[in-house]
Amino acid sequence: MQKIKTTVRIAGRDYAISSYDSEAYVQSVAAWVDRRMRELNQATRLPGGQLAVLAAVNAADDMMKSREENRRLKRELEAARAEIERLKRNEKA
């Protein structure tokens, strides 16, 4: 698979990004980052570098919370599967 070079615009600047993901996906990610930085800029008025760090910290926070939620849901699913198997065994007995 070949990398695709995509130009995106974030916070008024163009960036060339090489990725194995589709151009549409890269544009979508960049649009999310741009939107988040604009929202944070309106709320904080921080300089660009600090704004980028804040956006990165917020994105990492979202990702880590999503991972924990995913782990919780997997545990819940496994418990439900185990309960179904237990009920099936009891039904046969």
Side-chain angles (χ1 to χ4, degrees):
M1 181 179 272
Q2 196 168 332
K3 282 190 175 184
I4 301 168
K5 189 172 184 179
T6 305
T7 301
V8 299
R9 190 165 195 79
I10 300 172
R13 295 186 64 184
D14 290 336
Y15 296 90
I17 298 176
S18 293
S19 174
Y20 291 111
D21 294 310
S22 71
E23 183 174 347
Y25 178 77
V26 172
Q27 289 289 349
S28 175
V29 170
W32 183 92
V33 171
D34 182 61
R35 184 173 51 255
R36 194 70 182 115
M37 286 186 69
R38 278 189 277 114
E39 290 169 358
L40 290 169
N41 185 44
Q42 289 175 351
T44 65
R45 299 289 184 202
L46 290 171
Q50 290 178 344
L51 190 63
V53 169
L54 181 58
V57 168
N58 282 326
D61 177 52
D62 290 345
M63 179 197 65
M64 292 175 79
K65 285 177 180 172
S66 293
R67 282 183 175 173
E68 183 52 40
E69 177 68 1
N70 189 22
R71 283 191 285 271
R72 185 191 67 76
L73 290 170
K74 283 180 180 179
R75 286 190 304 270
E76 191 176 305
L77 177 60
E78 190 53 42
R81 283 181 176 156
E83 179 66 8
I84 289 169
E85 286 302 314
R86 187 188 68 74
L87 292 170
K88 282 182 181 178
R89 282 192 304 275
N90 287 344
E91 191 176 275
K92 290 179 182 176

